[in-house]
Amino acid sequence: MSSLTLKQFQDQVSELLLRHRSLLDVLSKFQQSGAAANRSVVKSITECGCIQVHAAKQEYHPEMTLDEAKDVLGTHVSGHLCEQCIEVVSSELGRNLFYMSALSNILDINLEQVVENESKKCTTLGLFNMS
């Protein structure tokens, strides 16, 4: 089975989205689905416990090399999502992607082009892309 492209997924979302075609509806559903994705990760920590957060100040020093910085700077996460949490988080991320696609459709934005443009920025700017 071949991989589904972003374009194919956007087309599929366009065909399925009947109830929430309004920009305002889609914006609110996109925000709600993002919050649900965040909440599913939080529940993995607070209810399941398969992952833990150990957050502290990231000790970065300008004189560090990039390799040293990668070794020192962490995600604050320990453990791994269990099978059940992977399923829940993946489902919520999928719903969020659905509404992102719907928003892109309403605004006539091609997600494949968005990914391509972002990739070019990452390639050009490298580590300075998100600073």
Side-chain angles (χ1 to χ4, degrees), residues 12-48:
Q12 183 180 27
V13 168
S14 181
E15 291 174 15
L16 295 174
L17 194 67
L18 298 173
R19 191 166 162 229
H20 300 287
R21 290 191 83 79
S22 159
L23 174 62
L24 296 176
D25 284 342
V26 170
L27 282 171
S28 66
K29 293 299 280 185
F30 181 47
Q31 185 176 26
Q32 183 180 27
S33 65
N38 291 344
R39 181 72 180 135
S40 67
V41 174
V42 169
K43 285 184 173 187
S44 297
I45 299 163
T46 61
E47 289 184 11
C48 178

